[in-house]
C-alpha cells in the first residue's frame, strides 16, 4: 500500500500562489491516475485535479486556469501549483490515486485570507 505525505500549505493572501507537494512512500509508476483533493470545513472532500501517466490532466471547474498538476514518477512525487488563490480555495489538500484508495494522508492546510 502506497502512503502519501502532503506538504507546502500555508496562509496566503488572495491572489497569491502556493505549490503543494505530495511524496509517495512507494512507486507511483503503476498508478495510472493521481489526483489532488481538498476538503473545506463543513464540506465533503472534492476532487481538484488529476493527471495520468500519459500526461492527461483534468481540473475542477472552480480551479481551471489557476491550478496546474504535475507528477514525477521517478521521484514518486505529485505537485499542485496554485495561482490566483481565492478565499474559496481554503481547505485541507490531499493527494491520492484516482479513484482514491488506501489510507488518506494528513493533508496540508491551505488558508487564503487577507
Amino acid at each position: 500500500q502506497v502512503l502519501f505525505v502532503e506538504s507546502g500549505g500555508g496562509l496566503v493572501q488572495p491572489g497569491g500562489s502556493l505549490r503543494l507537494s505530495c511524496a509517495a512512500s512507494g512507486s507511483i509508476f503503476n498508478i495510472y491516475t493521481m489526483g489532488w483533493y481538498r476538503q473545506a470545513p463543513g464540506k465533503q472532500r472534492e476532487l481538484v485535479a488529476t493527471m495520468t501517466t500519459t500526461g492527461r490532466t483534468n481540473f475542477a471547474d472552480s480551479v481551471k486556469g489557476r491550478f496546474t498538476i504535475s507528477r514525477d514518477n521517478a521521484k514518486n512525487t505529485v505537485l499542485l501549483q496554485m495561482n490566483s488563490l481565492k478565499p474559496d480555495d481554503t481547505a485541507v489538500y490531499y493527494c491520492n490515486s484516482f479513484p482514491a484508495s488506501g489510507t488518506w494522508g494528513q493533508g496540508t492546510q491551505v488558508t487564503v485570507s487577507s
Side-chain angles (χ1 to χ4, degrees), residues 38-46 62 87-92 94:
R38 69 185 180 187
Q39 187 168 20
K43 296 185 177 181
Q44 289 189 331
R45 188 174 288 154
E46 64 173 345
S62 59
D88 284 349
D89 295 319
T90 295
V92 179
Y94 305 86

Side-chain angles (χ1 to χ4, degrees), residues 42-103:
K43 296 185 177 181
Q44 289 189 331
R45 188 174 288 154
E46 64 173 345
L47 181 65
V48 174
T50 61
M51 186 173 190
T52 68
T53 54
T54 59
R56 186 175 62 198
T57 59
N58 272 297
F59 299 91
D61 287 344
S62 59
V63 306
K64 277 182 182 176
R66 301 188 296 121
F67 290 13
T68 57
I69 184 172
S70 59
R71 62 189 287 175
D72 186 333
N73 291 335
K75 296 182 178 179
N76 297 319
T77 58
V78 185
L79 302 178
L80 185 69
Q81 178 67 42
M82 307 186 297
N83 299 325
S84 302
L85 283 162
K86 304 175 181 180
D88 284 349
D89 295 319
T90 295
V92 179
Y93 285 71
Y94 305 86
C95 71
N96 206 318
S97 59
F98 176 79
S101 64
T103 303

